[in-house]
């Protein structure tokens, strides 16, 4: 069958594909064509290709000549970006919990046509789509500044891999003094508007 992007079975990026004739006959001869132009020297039973086009083969089998044709389309792999996630670490041991999918916008640069399918502990696992992290929404890193790998897929089902570095926040939060005048009765008690210092505290907390 044809390998077309619209059918969801197109090829991706620098992927190669082997077209095989599967026509029995030890004495058969073969000619291959791309977009009706003969591929000089292509005389084997199969043809390895790496770009889009309409490929056809002419098989001479005794006194008979057989023909076959297939259309091949390529889609680009998604463009992805390495990112980092920052979470608070109360005991400052470098280990904490992360929702890895919080990196979605950074990894895809807010491209809504791309999705992160899974996260992986190694780049090879991400490329092969094996051994995904089971609890990606509540993942505890095992080493400080650990890197995990996001597998990103586009609408053509082509994929790419991005690195996500897991960092911790060790910010010290300064709480500014809040002073008000005592009431008419000087007893050390008064009403405080805590909203007055909310903004100064919030700006110190990492997003």
């Amino acid at each position: 069958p044809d390998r077309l992007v619209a059918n969801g079975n197109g090829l991706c990026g620098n992927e190669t594909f082997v077209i095989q004739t599967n026509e029995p006959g030890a004495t058969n001869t073969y000619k291959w064509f791309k977009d009706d132009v003969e591929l000089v020297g292509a005389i084997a039973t199969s043809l390895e290709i790496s770009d889009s086009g309409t490929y056809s083969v002419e098989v001479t089998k005794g006194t008979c000549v057989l023909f076959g044709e297939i259309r091949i389309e390529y889609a680009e792999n998604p463009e992805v970006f390495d990112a980092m996630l920052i979470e608070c670490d109360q005991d400052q041991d470098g280990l904490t919990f992360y929702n890895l999918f919080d990196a979605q916008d950074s990894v895809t640069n807010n491209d809504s046509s791309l999705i992160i399918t899974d996260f992986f502990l190694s780049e090879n696992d991400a490329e092969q789509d094996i051994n995904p992290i089971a609890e990606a929404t509540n993942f505890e890193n095992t080493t400080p500044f650990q890197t995990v790998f996001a597998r990103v897929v586009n609408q053509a089902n082509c994929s790419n891999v991005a690195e996500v570095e897991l960092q911790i926040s060790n910010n010290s939060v300064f709480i500014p003094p809040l002073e008000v005048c005592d009431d008419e009765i000087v007893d050390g008690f008064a009403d405080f508007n805590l909203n007055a210092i909310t903004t100064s505290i919030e700006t110190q907390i990492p997003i």
Side-chain angles (χ1 to χ4, degrees):
D2 293 335
R3 300 293 300 268
L4 305 178
V5 173
N7 293 346
N9 66 345
L11 302 180
C12 300
N14 58 357
E15 183 180 2
T16 60
F17 181 72
V18 176
I19 307 171
Q20 183 69 47
T21 59
N22 295 322
E23 180 61 39
T27 60
N28 295 350
T29 60
Y30 302 86
K31 288 183 180 180
W32 289 93
F33 302 82
K34 177 188 177 186
D35 299 329
D36 296 324
V37 177
E38 183 177 355
L39 300 173
V40 178
I43 56 174
T45 60
S46 62
L47 180 70
E48 183 175 4
I49 61 98
S50 59
D51 57 354
S52 300
T54 298
Y55 293 87
S56 56
V57 62
E58 177 184 294
V59 182
T60 301
K61 186 180 179 70
T63 58
C64 298
V65 179
L66 310 176
F67 299 92
E69 181 178 281
I70 184 173
R71 289 185 297 159
I72 302 290
E73 290 180 347
Y74 272 79
E76 294 295 327
N77 290 329
E79 184 178 10
V80 298
F81 302 85
D82 294 339
M84 67 175 64
L85 282 180
I86 302 175
E87 288 291 346
C88 295
D89 178 19
Q90 293 184 354
D91 57 10
Q92 296 297 299
D93 63 353
L95 308 179
T96 190
F97 288 90
Y98 300 82
N99 179 354
L100 300 181
F101 286 97
D102 286 344
Q104 169 87 27
D105 290 346
S106 297
V107 167
T108 64
N109 196 30
N110 294 299
D111 186 341
S112 60
S113 70
L114 305 180
I115 61 170
I116 296 177
T117 58
D118 283 298
F119 289 86
F120 303 81
L121 295 178
S122 75
E123 185 173 15
N124 182 67
D125 282 358
E127 291 172 346
Q128 300 299 318
D129 197 15
I130 57 175
N131 305 317
I133 294 172
E135 298 292 337
T137 58
N138 192 37
F139 174 75
E140 184 178 19
N141 58 319
T142 55
T143 58
F145 305 107
Q146 183 175 358
T147 296
V148 296
F149 300 86
R151 180 181 176 87
V152 182
V153 173
N154 61 17
Q155 293 176 332
N157 205 33
C158 296
S159 64
N160 208 344
V161 175
E163 297 181 6
V164 179
E165 184 180 280
L166 306 180
Q167 297 193 0
I168 62 166
S169 168
N170 55 7
N171 287 12
S172 298
V173 178
F174 170 72
I175 300 177
L178 180 60
E179 299 178 350
V180 297
C181 294
D182 206 338
D183 299 327
E184 293 182 1
I185 300 175
V186 181
D187 55 4
F189 294 93
D191 292 326
F192 290 83
N193 179 9
L194 299 180
N195 289 327
I197 59 171
T198 297
T199 300
S200 63
I201 296 175
E202 287 179 337
T203 56
Q204 302 177 63
I205 300 174
I207 298 175

